[in-house]
């Protein structure tokens, strides 16, 4: 039998309200509804979550590691975006 | 209630390691764990009410077949994945409305166990309904397999929804208990799901099953022989 | 970037303990080694369900039954995490499953030994999971990101497995004379295969040095084995059981236990397919996979049908 394989989904779980969803892994499912239940059955067996997102893996667009220099390095010398760049006298206290 | 969970949970546990895909192997094991967990609560309570010092294990391991009170549906063999799904669905569709009623009983112990079980069983019913629909309305092959499997398990469902001694006992504990409501809910779920699944609802040609009275099918002896052999062979041992 | 630059970048990441991620450039041999190791690891989890699952329906108490069921289910989960990690290297789970089912792919030989009495379930949790954990803790620092993350998750979940096993061993070893005998029998049969789980001696291991250089493997086979032996001896003594190794003794100078030599001939016989249960295990996997084919296919057909209806 030459069955078509179930597609891959990425699973994101919110461990408790107030925190954002975090990538925990992936799994196979025939459709998104099943993916959600599989995520519950596979990744939430130990009280890991209160909310689940599943996304078909092929719907994720990822940056190319080869572009790392142009994407991330230009941010490195913009030190004026960080609070420590500015001098405030000690007697002013925390600002 | 405890025997239903124990025997069906035991059957489902046979699937562990042999499911059609890892994700579903895990899903079915979750249901098995829920049911055996529920069985432990019911059996412990039963032992406590009896007051003869029998705990969950004494009741699970040291009763003979004719002392078990589960529905004969629960002990039927796993068959293929579709058979397991349909057996589960027919049971869940009964289990949920029954638990919903018990969860409203005045008896706090019965009610609190039932309230815990309701949450688990709601998911079981959702899962088994979806699989029934998926396979009933999947491929031609899966449809045929499901219709065939339905013919195998369907006759055992009658025992769940026809009034019997069990229902009289429940009505004694709580006069508000109503088997007709369980029956109605069951038919409504079954009709709805089979309609979506494109499965033909068989006629109500129930086999005369009396599991509730301790008269089981030949299957149970083998289940118990396997399940009970260690504690029976070494009755003095602690495990 | 030129090939040589990519290689230099890769080498410097390995050097600086920066994890390699799926889309990063990596040498083909590194990709293949990871794929082989991770998929073998995944297969081991999945085949490893079988010997223990044997005893779920026969567990002697309901508490033991749910614990074992949850434990074997965890192995399915671990297989799943590992297949997912391996899939990031460009091979689908189905292809890996086909390799397992055809006998082309290997899995840990330990699972080709039979579980013959209830104490075997204790011995597996304690020794086999114990050996696996020794190996896996080291792998939490492996250089391939998805593999390391899977290992972290698995180690977290596995912490109950070994305790579950040791607790069973305790109830057996401190139980009736018959139970103690079962415990000793299980220990006799599982001890040597557990030591074999760490693989051939470093001097004989074909992949070891390159894997250590790439930091896929973090500690050598022999070092891990020694660590496991040293950890296990006091646990055996506590149980009042005897290890089936007359050469076992404390070596003051080395600060480690010396132990007898492993029967490598047996090891290679089992690896090459002639263990006590190789055929049964593969048959069981093939059966599950083949009999599940119509289910997987129907679910897919149904999903496509519904999608068309919605669209």
């Amino acid at each position: 039998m030459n069955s078509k394989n179930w597609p891959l989904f990425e699973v994101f779980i919110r461990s408790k309200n107030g925190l954002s969803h975090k990538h925990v892994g992936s799994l196979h499912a025939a459709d998104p509804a099943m993916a959600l239940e599989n995520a519950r059955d596979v990744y939430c067996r130990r009280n890991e979550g209160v909310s689940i997102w599943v996304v078909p893996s092929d719907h994720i667009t990822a940056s190319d590691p080869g572009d790392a220099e142009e994407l991330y390095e230009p941010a490195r010398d913009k030190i004026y975006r960080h609070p420590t760049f500015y001098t405030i006298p000690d007697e002013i206290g925390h600002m | 209630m405890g025997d239903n969970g124990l025997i069906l949970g035991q059957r489902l546990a046979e699937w562990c390691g042999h499911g059609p895909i890892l994700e579903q192997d895990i899903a079915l094991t979750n249901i098995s764990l829920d049911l055996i967990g529920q069985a432990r609560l019911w059996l412990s309570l039963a032992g406590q009410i009896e007051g003869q010092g029998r705990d969950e294990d004494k009741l699970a391991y040291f009763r003979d077949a004719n002392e078990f009170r589960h529905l004969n549906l629960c002990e039927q063999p796993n068959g293929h994945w579709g058979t397991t799904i349909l057996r589960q669905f027919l049971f869940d569709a009964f289990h949920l409305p029954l638990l919903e009623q018990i969860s409203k009983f005045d008896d706090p112990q019965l009610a609190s166990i039932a309230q815990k079980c309701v949450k688990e069983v709601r998911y079981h019913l959702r899962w088994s309904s979806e699989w029934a629909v998926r396979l009933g309305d999947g491929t031609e092959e899966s449809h045929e397999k499901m219709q065939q499997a339905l013919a195998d398990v369907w006759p055992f469902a009658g025992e769940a929804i026809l009034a019997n001694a069990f229902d009289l006992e429940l009505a004694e504990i709580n006069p508000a208990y109503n088997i007709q409501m369980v029956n109605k809910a069951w038919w409504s779920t079954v009709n709805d799901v089979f309609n979506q699944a494109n499965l033909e609802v068989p006629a109500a040609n129930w086999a005369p099953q009396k599991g509730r009275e301790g008269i089981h099918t030949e299957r149970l002896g083998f289940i118990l022989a396997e399940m009970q052999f260690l504690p029976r062979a070494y009755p003095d041992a602690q495990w | 970037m030129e090939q040589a630059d990519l290689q230099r970048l890769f080498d410097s990441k390995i050097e600086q303990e920066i994890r390699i991620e799926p889309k990063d450039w990596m040498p083909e041999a590194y990709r293949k080694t990871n794929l082989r190791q991770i998929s073998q690891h995944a297969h081991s989890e999945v085949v490893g369900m079988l010997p223990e699952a044997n005893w779920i329906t026969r567990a002697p108490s309901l508490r033991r039954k749910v614990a074992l069921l949850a434990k074997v289910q965890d192995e399915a989960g671990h297989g799943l995490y590992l297949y997912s990690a391996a899939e990031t290297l460009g091979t689908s789970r189905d292809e890996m499953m086909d390799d397992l089912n055809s006998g082309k792919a290997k899995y840990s030989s330990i699972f080709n030994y039979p579980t013959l009495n209830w104490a075997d379930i204790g011995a597996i949790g304690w020794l086999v999971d114990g050996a696996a954990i020794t190996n896996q803790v080291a792998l939490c620092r492996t250089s391939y990101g998805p593999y390391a993350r899977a290992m972290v998750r698995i180690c977290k979940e596995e912490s109950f497995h070994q305790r579950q096993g040791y607790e069973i061993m305790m109830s057996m070893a401190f139980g009736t004379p018959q139970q103690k005998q079962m415990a000793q029998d299980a220990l006799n049969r599982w001890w040597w295969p557990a030591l074999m789980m760490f693989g051939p001696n470093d001097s004989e291991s074909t992949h070891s040095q390159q894997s250590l250089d790439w930091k896929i493997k973090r500690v050598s086979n022999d070092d891990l084995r020694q660590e496991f032996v040293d950890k296990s001896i006091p646990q055996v003594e506590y149980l009042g059981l005897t290890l089936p190794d007359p050469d076992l003794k404390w070596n003051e100078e080395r600060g480690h236990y010396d132990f007898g030599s492993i029967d490598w001939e047996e090891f290679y016989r089992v690896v090459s397919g002639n263990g006590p249960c190789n055929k049964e295990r593969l048959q069981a996997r093939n059966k599950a996979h083949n009999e599940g084919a119509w289910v997987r296919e129907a679910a897919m057909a149904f999903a496509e049908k519904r999608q068309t209806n919605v669209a």
Side-chain angles (χ1 to χ4, degrees):
Chain A
M1 204 176 302
N2 216 344
S3 64
K4 254 173 85 181
N5 303 333
W6 291 4
L8 196 65
F9 287 79
E10 299 302 321
V11 181
F12 301 82
I13 290 180
R14 185 202 296 290
S15 57
K16 61 178 190 185
N17 277 11
L19 298 179
S20 42
H21 287 74
K22 190 172 168 235
H23 184 241
V24 294
S26 46
L27 49 75
H28 289 272
D31 54 53
M34 194 206 277
L36 205 57
E37 290 176 11
N38 288 353
R40 178 263 190 195
D41 282 321
V42 174
Y43 289 103
C44 295
R45 284 175 292 142
R46 289 178 166 82
N47 283 317
E48 289 97 332
V50 296
S51 165
I52 304 172
W53 289 347
V54 290
V55 183
S57 306
D58 60 7
H59 285 203
I60 288 180
T61 310
S63 62
D64 183 343
D67 296 340
E69 285 181 7
E70 64 202 66
L71 290 178
Y72 313 113
E73 287 195 16
R76 253 188 228 165
D77 64 355
K78 312 288 192 296
I79 48 175
Y80 44 79
R81 291 195 205 274
H82 299 280
T84 47
F85 179 74
Y86 305 92
T87 318
I88 301 288
D90 285 348
E91 50 268 40
I92 297 297
H94 178 73
M95 182 182 275
Chain B
M1 299 301 287
D3 290 348
N4 278 342
L6 177 60
I7 298 300
L8 186 55
Q10 171 84 358
R11 274 295 192 212
L12 296 179
E14 293 172 15
W15 269 106
C16 186
H18 306 274
I21 189 165
L22 283 174
E23 283 81 352
Q24 294 303 327
D25 203 305
I26 293 170
L28 196 65
T29 299
N30 275 341
I31 296 178
S32 175
L33 282 168
D34 283 348
L35 289 172
I36 298 172
Q38 296 176 8
R40 296 179 68 189
L41 297 173
W42 291 120
L43 292 178
S44 297
L45 179 60
Q48 187 192 318
I49 291 169
E50 185 194 45
Q52 308 277 326
R54 292 202 285 181
D55 61 8
E56 57 179 48
D57 286 330
K58 263 271 171 324
L59 287 171
Y61 290 93
F62 290 92
R63 278 183 300 154
D64 288 335
N66 61 358
E67 296 170 279
F68 275 78
R69 289 289 182 273
H70 57 272
L71 300 169
N72 287 351
L73 175 68
C74 298
E75 69 194 43
Q76 294 315 301
N78 286 339
H80 56 58
W81 183 253
T83 320
T84 297
I85 293 292
L86 285 171
R87 183 188 62 196
Q88 191 64 36
F89 169 68
L90 295 176
F91 178 74
D92 294 339
F94 146 82
H95 201 196
L96 182 61
L98 175 64
L99 286 167
E100 281 172 343
Q101 286 210 35
I102 300 176
S103 68
K104 292 187 199 110
F105 277 20
D106 293 332
D107 183 308
Q109 284 177 303
L110 288 178
S112 80
I113 295 180
Q115 282 156 16
K116 177 200 182 276
C117 297
V118 159
K119 292 178 202 156
E120 295 174 346
V121 173
R122 231 176 244 141
Y123 186 78
H124 301 174
L125 178 59
R126 168 175 165 174
W127 182 88
S128 62
S129 304
E130 286 174 358
W131 265 108
V133 173
R134 199 175 274 135
L135 295 178
D137 192 25
T139 59
E140 220 169 282
E141 183 192 8
S142 74
H143 176 78
E144 246 169 65
K145 278 189 147 71
M146 290 299 272
Q147 201 68 62
Q148 186 54 50
L150 186 55
D152 292 340
V153 292
W154 177 260
F156 292 94
E159 192 188 359
I161 52 158
L162 297 178
N164 57 38
F166 171 80
D167 300 294
L168 293 177
E169 281 170 23
L170 277 185
E172 233 170 80
I173 300 171
N174 203 74
Y177 170 75
N178 185 349
I179 173 74
Q180 290 315 322
M181 276 167 63
V182 175
N183 185 316
K184 234 175 96 186
W186 187 86
W187 275 110
S188 142
T189 309
V190 166
N191 283 323
D192 176 39
V193 167
F194 284 3
N195 184 32
Q196 290 179 57
N198 209 7
L199 289 172
E200 211 174 298
V201 183
N205 55 343
W206 313 124
Q209 295 295 342
K210 295 185 175 172
R212 286 284 180 59
E213 295 164 42
I215 303 173
H216 292 281
T217 66
E218 292 175 351
R219 310 289 185 183
L220 183 61
F222 294 97
I223 295 177
L224 297 185
E226 187 173 335
M227 185 175 87
Q228 298 179 332
F229 103 90
L230 267 180
R232 296 261 193 164
Y234 305 96
D236 303 328
Q238 298 285 319
W239 304 96
Chain C
M1 242 189 274
E2 297 289 314
Q3 181 81 8
D5 294 330
L6 289 166
Q7 179 73 50
R8 254 195 303 280
L9 185 62
F10 172 84
D11 292 341
S12 83
K13 279 185 187 158
I14 296 287
E15 171 72 33
Q16 297 172 65
E17 298 282 333
I18 295 172
R19 300 278 173 266
I20 306 300
E21 294 295 345
K23 293 188 74 158
D24 292 346
W25 183 89
M26 61 189 88
E28 187 53 21
Y30 175 85
R31 195 187 66 81
K32 277 200 175 133
T33 303
N34 263 297
L35 181 61
R36 183 175 42 81
Q37 185 173 329
I38 303 170
S39 59
Q40 275 183 16
H41 199 157
H43 297 327
S44 303
E45 299 280 355
V46 171
V47 177
M49 296 171 76
L50 300 169
E52 287 184 282
N54 261 337
W55 280 89
I56 294 171
T57 53
R58 292 178 287 172
S61 75
L62 296 182
R63 177 172 178 266
R64 293 284 180 224
K65 192 188 289 289
V66 289
L68 180 60
L69 191 49
K71 193 228 165 197
V72 180
Q73 184 197 42
D74 269 353
E75 313 295 0
H78 299 170
L80 192 157
Y81 307 155
L82 287 161
Y83 283 125
S84 300
E87 280 187 278
T88 62
L89 292 161
T91 302
S92 74
R93 191 201 293 177
D94 289 76
E95 290 170 85
M96 291 184 258
M97 283 275 181
D98 288 345
D99 286 347
L100 170 66
N101 290 336
S102 70
K104 192 177 142 201
K106 297 271 179 268
Y107 56 86
S108 182
S109 279
I110 191 95
F111 302 116
N112 292 316
Y113 289 85
T115 45
L116 301 177
N117 82 55
W118 171 251
D120 286 36
I121 298 306
I124 289 182
W126 167 39
L127 296 174
V128 177
D129 285 67
I133 292 167
T134 307
N135 189 28
Q136 286 168 178
V137 166
L139 283 172
C140 290
R141 296 182 297 123
T142 189
S143 61
Y144 187 56
Y147 192 20
R149 288 192 287 277
M151 282 322 346
V152 169
R153 196 177 180 90
I154 289 171
C155 284
K156 225 188 268 174
E157 296 190 353
E158 282 218 339
S159 53
F160 99 78
H161 295 184
Q162 202 186 7
R163 294 169 68 107
Q164 181 254 171
Y166 196 70
E167 207 191 77
I168 292 175
M169 285 310 275
M170 287 198 300
S171 63
M172 299 299 280
F174 302 145
T176 66
Q178 286 157 319
Q179 282 179 300
K180 182 161 187 184
Q181 203 179 357
M182 289 185 218
Q184 184 62 56
D185 172 47
L187 178 59
N188 292 348
R189 282 180 289 106
W190 289 98
W191 176 250
W192 288 109
L195 294 193
M196 293 177 196
M197 283 175 73
F198 296 96
N201 289 128
D202 297 343
S203 52
E204 306 292 323
S205 177
T206 34
H207 307 294
S208 256
Q209 195 48 52
Q210 179 63 76
S211 282
L212 284 166
D213 290 346
W214 274 330
K215 296 183 181 170
I216 296 174
K217 216 177 157 84
R218 301 307 306 247
V219 185
S220 82
N221 294 354
D222 285 333
D223 288 350
L224 286 169
R225 186 162 21 236
Q226 184 69 58
E227 184 189 329
F228 175 71
V229 170
D230 292 346
K231 267 194 301 201
S232 300
I233 308 279
Q235 298 166 356
V236 176
E237 286 168 353
Y238 180 82
L239 294 172
L241 300 176
T242 324
L243 281 170
D245 180 358
D247 298 326
L248 191 85
K249 64 169 188 296
W250 176 252
N251 183 325
E252 193 64 51
E253 206 175 307
R254 289 201 309 130
H256 292 292
Y257 283 93
D258 290 337
F259 52 97
S261 55
I262 289 169
D263 181 354
W264 292 113
E265 203 215 323
E266 173 177 325
F267 174 78
Y268 286 110
R269 233 179 15 237
V270 182
V271 168
S272 66
N274 284 319
C277 304
N278 297 53
K279 287 195 179 67
E280 270 170 81
R281 302 292 186 242
L282 272 192
Q283 270 167 8
R285 283 314 312 159
N286 274 288
K287 185 165 182 282
H289 191 75
N290 295 338
E291 290 181 358
W294 71 273
V295 176
R296 297 189 299 274
E297 196 183 11
M300 210 51 228
F302 175 79
E304 278 163 8
K305 224 188 277 186
R306 289 294 153 115
Q307 206 168 19
T308 334
N309 288 351
V310 174

